[in-house]
Amino acid sequence: MRSGDLTSIYVPQVQDEAIRGLSRAREDALRELKTAKHRLKAFLLRQDIRSEGRATWNAAHLRWLSEVVCPTPARQWTTARAKEATFCTACSRLTIGKSSRNSPRGRPASK
C-alpha cells in the first residue's frame, strides 16, 4: 500500500446490500408500473376507447378507468386483467416506497 500499487476498497455491510436490494426492487417496480400502464393504454386505444380528460393516471382518470365497459365479455375480461395488473403493480410500488422511507438509513442510495 505504501508504494501505491494497491488501493483500499470498501466492502459493503449487510445493511448496505439490503438498501441496494430495496433500491433495485423499487426501480423494477417503477419499470413494471410504466409497462403495465402502457399495455393498458394501448389495449384501450386498440378498442377505440379514449379518455375525455387531459391528464392521465390522476384520480379522475382512475375513476374513468373503473367505469370503462367493453362491448364483448372477452374484451371486458381482458380489460379487467389489464386494470388489475396496473393497480397491483402500483400497490407494489407504493409498498416498496414506504419500506425505503422506513429503512434505518433513510432513502436507498441510487446506483
Side-chain angles (χ1 to χ4, degrees):
M1 284 193 109
R2 275 191 254 190
S3 66
D5 293 341
L6 301 174
T7 57
S8 63
I9 61 167
Y10 173 74
V11 177
Q13 296 178 356
V14 174
Q15 294 101 342
D16 296 329
E17 286 300 320
I19 298 280
R20 286 181 182 169
L22 187 60
S23 178
R24 288 184 191 110
R26 182 177 180 275
E27 289 170 6
D28 290 344
L30 285 171
R31 195 173 310 111
E32 289 170 13
L33 177 59
K34 186 176 181 181
T35 301
K37 285 179 176 181
H38 283 269
R39 194 175 296 130
L40 175 58
K41 196 170 183 178
F43 175 78
L44 292 173
L45 288 174
R46 282 194 306 272
Q47 309 309 313
D48 201 31
I49 299 172
R50 288 170 168 67
S51 172
E52 300 291 322
R54 291 173 160 239
T56 55
W57 309 111
N58 61 12
H61 182 75
L62 296 176
R63 228 180 352 270
W64 172 81
L65 269 177
S66 69
E67 297 167 357
V68 168
V69 178
C70 292
T72 66
R75 287 182 180 167
Q76 188 63 35
W77 185 88
T78 306
T79 303
R81 299 300 77 76
K83 287 183 211 176
E84 273 180 22
T86 304
F87 296 137
C88 288
T89 306
C91 289
S92 171
R93 192 267 177 247
L94 289 172
T95 302
I96 292 170
K98 286 180 183 177
S99 295
S100 65
R101 283 191 294 280
N102 294 334
S103 66
R105 294 186 180 206
R107 284 198 168 272
S110 58
K111 296 180 193 176

